[in-house]
Amino acid sequence: MKGKIISLLKTNYPGYISGEEISRIMGVSRTAVWKHIAGLREDGYIIESHSRVGYRLIKSPDRPFEFEFAQLREPGQVIGREIIYKEEVDSTNEVCKTLAEEGAVEGTVVIAEKQNAGKGRMGRRWHSPAGQGIWFSFILRPVMNPGDASKVTLMAAVAVATAIQQVTGIKAGIKWPNDILLEGRKLAGILTEMNAETDKINYLVIGIGINVCLQDEELPSELRALAVSLAEEKGVNVSRTKLLAEILRQLDCLYKDFQKGIFTRIFSMWRDLSVTLNRTVTVKGLHYTEEGFAVDIDDTGALLLRDGQGNIKRIYSGDVSIR
Ligand code: BT5
C-alpha cells in the first residue's frame, strides 16, 4: 500500500495528487490514505500537503524499503524479485536460511538497516551499525554440483565491484576470495553459505556487507585503519537504494551465465578487477600458511600460487595478505 502511494506521488512529481484521487485509484477510504501518508512521514518521507491540491513528495529518505525497488527492477529480474526490508536482525544470512528452509523463491533478498550479530567467515564478526551500510543476503537455488558453488563468491564480488564503479565511479578491487578493497582497505565482504547433499545444492545464501558511510567510532580501534567506506573515499553519501538496485541487476545478469554453467565472462571480469593476481601473497588457512606468486585462478575458482621452486599450489580457502 505504501509502495503504491509512493509510486503515485513519484509519478505525479512535481505536481500534486489529491487524497481523493489516491483513494479512488487504490480503492480505499480517504482516511486510509491519510493514515498511510502519516506512516510514510514517520518512515522519513517528506510529503507536502495542501488542502486544495493534495499531496506532493518532496524528499525520500535513503532507506532501502522493499517498495523503493519496484521501479528500479528490470522486467524478468530474478535476483531481487522478492525483497524483504528489516529494521534490525541478528544476521541477514540467518534470516535467509530460515526463509530458504521454508521454501522461499530463488532471488529472495533480505536487507537490514542494522545487524546485531553480523557474521564474517569462520565465526568472525561483521560490524553492521544502523544505516551505515548495505547489509543484505540473497537466496540462490542453482541446479549444479556443490563443487561449483564456491564460484558464486567470485560472481558476487564481480557484481559488487562493477556496480560500485557504475554508481559512484570508484574503482574498487577484488581480493581473493571474498573481499572488496579500496586502496588496500576493506570496503565490503562476502559470506557464502551452502545447504547441499552429495550431488545437489539445496540452496545457497550469499551475504554481502558494504560500508557506505561507516563511522570509525562504530569499529574497534584495531579495525579502523583496515576498514574503509564509500563516503570516506568519495566524500559524499551514495544512495544505498540506488547502489543496491544496481548490485542486484549486475548479479542477475551474471547469474544467467552461472546457471548455464558458463563462467568465462565472470572469470574474465574477475581477473580484470582482481588486486590479488600477479603479486606475491601470503595465504593463511586454518591449518597452513602458504606464500607465493598469485598466478591465476583455476576453473573452480581456486587460487593458483607459484612457490620459489616454480611449483603451482592450488588454494581453496584462506585469508590473503598482499605484499
Ligand atoms: C567477510 O568475512 O568479509 C564476510 C562479511 C559478510 C557480511 C555480510 S553483511 C550481510 C550478511 N549477513 C551476515 O551476517 N554477514 C553477511 P571475513 O573475510 O571473515 O572478514 C571478517 C573480518 O572483517 C572481521 O574479522 C574484521 O576484521 C573485518 N570487519 C568486520 N566488520 C567490518 C566492516 N564493517 N568493514 C570492514 N571490515 C570489517
Side-chain angles (χ1 to χ4, degrees), residues 89-94 110 115 117-129 134-137 177-179 185-193 205-211 214 219-220 222-223 226-228 318-319:
V89 298
D90 278 348
S91 155
T92 53
N93 266 39
E94 293 304 319
V110 174
Q115 294 187 117
K119 302 189 300 177
R121 293 174 302 157
M122 293 174 283
R124 292 189 281 223
R125 172 150 188 229
W126 183 261
H127 296 272
S128 335
I134 302 176
W135 327 124
F136 80 105
S137 305
N178 71 320
D179 284 356
R185 296 203 280 161
K186 185 152 169 168
L187 176 67
I190 300 166
L191 173 67
T192 301
E193 297 185 276
V205 167
I206 299 100
I208 304 181
I210 304 162
N211 301 327
L214 188 69
L219 295 174
E222 69 277 9
L223 251 184
L226 303 175
V228 70
D319 286 309

Side-chain angles (χ1 to χ4, degrees), residues 17 113 116 149 166 259 283:
I17 178 165
E113 206 62 46
N116 295 320
Q166 298 228 340
Q259 274 176 311
V283 189

Side-chain angles (χ1 to χ4, degrees), residues 28-29 39 50 53 114 117 173 187-188 220 223 231 269 279 282 306 318:
V28 297
S29 69
H50 210 283
V53 277
K114 173 182 182 198
L187 176 67
L223 251 184
M269 288 171 84
R279 296 182 185 218
T282 306
R306 189 174 60 222

Side-chain angles (χ1 to χ4, degrees), residues 44-306:
Y45 288 87
I46 300 178
I47 300 167
E48 199 177 73
S49 57
H50 210 283
S51 55
R52 296 243 170 92
V53 277
Y55 299 104
R56 181 161 84 137
L57 180 64
I58 301 295
K59 197 166 184 282
S60 302
D62 180 33
R63 298 184 90 184
F65 294 122
E66 46 261 299
F67 51 79
E68 284 288 349
F69 294 88
Q71 284 150 334
L72 300 171
R73 238 183 319 246
E74 301 285 343
Q77 192 174 317
V78 169
I79 317 263
R81 61 178 155 182
E82 287 285 339
I83 297 184
I84 298 163
Y85 171 89
K86 300 262 184 201
E87 205 62 57
E88 190 171 335
V89 298
D90 278 348
S91 155
T92 53
N93 266 39
E94 293 304 319
V95 178
C96 270
K97 280 197 246 172
T98 307
L99 291 173
E101 294 290 343
E102 291 166 356
V105 290
E106 174 164 78
T108 300
V109 170
V110 174
I111 168 145
E113 206 62 46
K114 173 182 182 198
Q115 294 187 117
N116 295 320
K119 302 189 300 177
R121 293 174 302 157
M122 293 174 283
R124 292 189 281 223
R125 172 150 188 229
W126 183 261
H127 296 272
S128 335
Q132 296 180 21
I134 302 176
W135 327 124
F136 80 105
S137 305
F138 59 100
I139 299 168
L140 295 180
R141 298 182 183 277
V143 182
M144 59 171 54
N145 203 295
D148 279 330
S150 58
K151 285 183 272 206
V152 87
T153 305
L154 305 188
M155 176 189 88
V158 168
V160 171
T162 307
I164 288 175
Q165 184 162 2
Q166 298 228 340
V167 173
T168 67
I170 293 174
K171 279 193 177 180
I174 302 173
K175 188 180 81 156
W176 187 90
N178 71 320
D179 284 356
I180 306 288
L181 301 186
L182 260 184
E183 314 283 343
R185 296 203 280 161
K186 185 152 169 168
L187 176 67
I190 300 166
L191 173 67
T192 301
E193 297 185 276
M194 174 165 69
N195 181 304
E197 288 154 44
T198 325
D199 52 2
K200 177 177 169 267
I201 296 173
N202 295 324
Y203 59 83
L204 297 171
V205 167
I206 299 100
I208 304 181
I210 304 162
N211 301 327
V212 174
C213 48
L214 188 69
Q215 307 287 317
D216 259 1
E217 50 276 20
E218 298 285 350
L219 295 174
S221 52
E222 69 277 9
L223 251 184
R224 291 180 191 167
L226 303 175
V228 70
S229 74
L230 289 172
E232 221 174 316
E233 175 70 15
K234 185 96 176 151
V236 288
N237 281 352
V238 295
S239 154
R240 290 183 298 156
T241 309
K242 203 169 150 200
L243 180 54
L244 178 56
E246 185 57 34
I247 294 170
L248 299 180
R249 257 199 303 269
Q250 294 290 339
L251 282 169
D252 193 71
C253 181
L254 296 173
Y255 187 55
K256 294 210 162 74
D257 280 8
F258 190 92
Q259 274 176 311
K260 290 183 207 136
I262 302 170
F263 300 107
T264 29
R265 178 167 59 148
I266 295 169
F267 276 35
S268 106
M269 288 171 84
W270 191 92
R271 287 185 179 101
D272 286 346
L273 291 161
S274 158
V275 291
T276 307
L277 297 184
N278 302 316
R279 296 182 185 218
T280 300
V281 301
T282 306
V283 189
K284 280 205 175 82
L286 265 184
H287 307 293
Y288 67 87
T289 300
E290 293 283 357
E291 196 181 289
F293 189 75
V295 190
D296 202 355
I297 44 171
D298 72 3
D299 56 10
T300 68
L303 185 66
L304 300 177
L305 281 194
R306 189 174 60 222

